Amino acid sequence: MEQHFSQYLEIPVFKALIGAVKDYGHPAYVVGGYVRDKLLNRPTKDIDVVVIGSGIELAELYAARLGHGIKARVFKNFGTAMVKFHDRDEWIVEFVGARKESYRADSRKPIVEDGTLEDDQNRRDFTINTLALSLNEGDLGKLLDSFGGYHDLESGLIRTPLDPDRTYSDDPLRMMRAIRFATQLDFVIEKESFESIKRNADRINIISKERIKDELEKIILSRKPSVGFNLLHDSGLLKIIFPEFVALKGAEYIDGKGHKDNFHHTLQVLDNVAAKSDNLWLRWGAILHDIAKPVTKKFEPGTGWTFHAHEFVGAKMVPRLFHRMKMPEDEKMRFVQKLVLLHLRPIVLSQEVVTDSAVRRLLFDAGDDIDDLMSLCEADITSKNPEKVQKYLKNFEIVRQKLVEVELKDRVRNWQPPITGELIMETFGIPPGKEIGIIKNAIREAILDGIIHNDFEEAHRLMIEEGEKLGLKRVLTTKAHEGQHKGTQSI
């Protein structure tokens, strides 16, 4: 039975497109993600158009109809073009001529030839992405469904249009895409298709680290990323792309004493973070917070399992992991590294009497990332005991309140020393040397311990005292001191 969905074409972005297709005189279709997402009632702003002819020529006709100086961006080497359209939103419309593809065993770059709409549907990854809507007069909005994609959408099934071994071997990134779609859409991967992923998992090695990272991050950004990680693990892909995470799996017992399965614990923490935040790097903090537990694990008779210093070892692992996985080695990486390094600190605070000094040091070390750190620590509570969870959460509320109080009083978040190295050198008439670090460290420790306030005058007096302990004599005049004071603000 024919199905028509012309209502999905009754928006401004399609008006000029339908006219351009008529002018061009060759059949054209909207395919793939736009059709899938509209049928699933998901938001989408990307439109893929397949034309039986030249995608570039149709794109140029479309841009001309839009006017306002809009030009098609042409990629001649690929035979594709793109047009950006603005109404209340920005739309990206991509054009390509219908084609058929074949692959060599050692590459995911296809050999491309002109083809029919069915050839174009054959080359697509999953049946739910083969669906097409006609842009042509006479059958405008007609759904073309050669592979039962509409039924698979209704059934929540990820299935390949052709033999899955061929689909995944031709382009192994499709294995990760299958898992990503299953995670994002809450779909199930067809049994034979999943078995094929297991058989072809090693083929992922021909895919660039950048492309793998892109798909992995889409899984991480899904509503419940643990679904994707479990599928990656069960398929054999995770041990290839992220072996350190697989090493977290399993619980070991000696003398009746065991430790929790840190693989499943970490996924629960990740899901807990995902329920509260869309921040990709906070989610990476959840993924990596216990990453060093396998390498720091030790059984101590009478005590049980320990993971001493796993936060320090884990923080050192972060740059290596980011480098290997082609992730940004910038402030995003340093943010994740800080979360891994500090993730136990609020937990320890929540178990003890919370002192101003301890809170001051936590604020000093975490800076503006303190709220994200607290969110990670709260997500790290995965006990099955509701009373224990409530106790921890209540204690964390006390810690949060103390953080606010100490910050208002002492202003140590993103703290800068009220006494600079330049002032120390000028005051005592000394060149750069270890004495400057000793004095600055003494001032910092005194402020963090609450011995003095975060105040220039108190810090200046301590500077003089510490300098005298080191045998230094003051040479800066009172007038110069006052000038320094006017130009210095404690933070």
Side-chain angles (χ1 to χ4, degrees), residues 279-282 284-285 318-319 322 327-340 366 368-369 372:
N279 183 336
L280 172 63
W281 307 108
L282 179 54
W284 266 112
V318 171
F322 268 55
M327 293 193 293
E329 298 176 62
D330 55 12
E331 71 281 354
K332 298 181 181 72
M333 180 194 77
R334 288 187 285 276
F335 168 77
V336 174
Q337 194 172 23
K338 183 191 285 187
L339 293 182
V340 175
D368 276 343
D369 300 320
D372 287 326

Side-chain angles (χ1 to χ4, degrees), residues 40-84:
L40 290 172
N41 199 30
R42 298 176 82 228
T44 179
K45 295 292 181 290
D46 295 335
I47 299 169
D48 293 323
V49 176
V50 168
V51 59
I52 313 304
S54 168
I56 293 172
E57 290 179 17
L58 180 57
E60 289 173 337
L61 284 170
Y62 177 51
R65 270 187 166 265
L66 290 173
H68 305 292
I70 293 174
K71 300 289 184 184
R73 187 177 176 189
V74 173
F75 307 93
K76 284 189 176 179
N77 288 345
F78 300 99
T80 64
M82 179 183 73
V83 176
K84 289 186 177 180

Side-chain angles (χ1 to χ4, degrees), residues 155-184:
S155 304
L157 190 66
I158 303 296
R159 183 171 63 88
T160 60
L162 303 177
D163 173 57
D165 283 334
R166 174 181 166 185
T167 297
Y168 295 134
S169 181
D170 280 354
D171 183 356
L173 190 64
R174 290 169 173 167
M175 297 186 288
M176 289 200 66
R177 283 171 58 82
I179 290 169
R180 189 248 294 181
F181 280 124
T183 307
Q184 288 178 326

Side-chain angles (χ1 to χ4, degrees), residues 191-259:
K191 184 178 179 181
E192 177 52 32
S193 192
F194 195 70
E195 290 301 316
S196 177
I197 293 174
K198 291 181 182 179
R199 289 193 294 271
N200 288 281
D202 285 342
R203 291 277 291 157
I204 200 68
N205 286 310
I206 72 168
I207 302 298
S208 72
K209 295 286 196 300
E210 291 86 353
R211 298 296 300 277
I212 291 171
K213 180 260 299 181
D214 289 345
E215 287 299 326
L216 182 60
E217 287 185 348
K218 289 174 183 176
I219 291 170
I220 292 169
L221 285 170
S222 64
R223 185 183 62 81
K224 192 175 182 182
S226 65
V227 172
F229 272 85
N230 281 314
L231 288 170
L232 286 170
H233 175 268
D234 294 347
S235 67
L237 287 168
L238 194 62
K239 68 182 179 184
I240 299 171
I241 65 171
F242 197 178
E244 295 86 354
F245 198 82
V246 176
L248 291 167
K249 193 168 181 64
E252 193 172 349
Y253 286 82
I254 293 179
D255 296 337
K257 293 182 178 180
H259 61 80

Side-chain angles (χ1 to χ4, degrees), residues 345-352 354 359 362 370 374 392-405:
R345 292 269 292 277
I347 294 172
V348 172
L349 280 180
S350 72
Q351 295 169 335
E352 301 173 349
V354 185
V359 171
L362 180 59
I370 186 66
M374 291 300 296
Y392 270 114
L393 290 175
K394 186 177 179 181
N395 288 349
F396 275 131
E397 276 303 310
I398 296 170
V399 173
R400 280 186 180 273
Q401 184 57 41
K402 198 73 175 176
L403 287 166
V404 172
E405 292 171 3

Side-chain angles (χ1 to χ4, degrees), residues 103-115:
Y103 291 80
R104 298 184 301 274
D106 61 346
S107 173
R108 66 175 297 271
K109 294 180 180 178
I111 300 166
V112 180
E113 303 172 71
D114 291 341

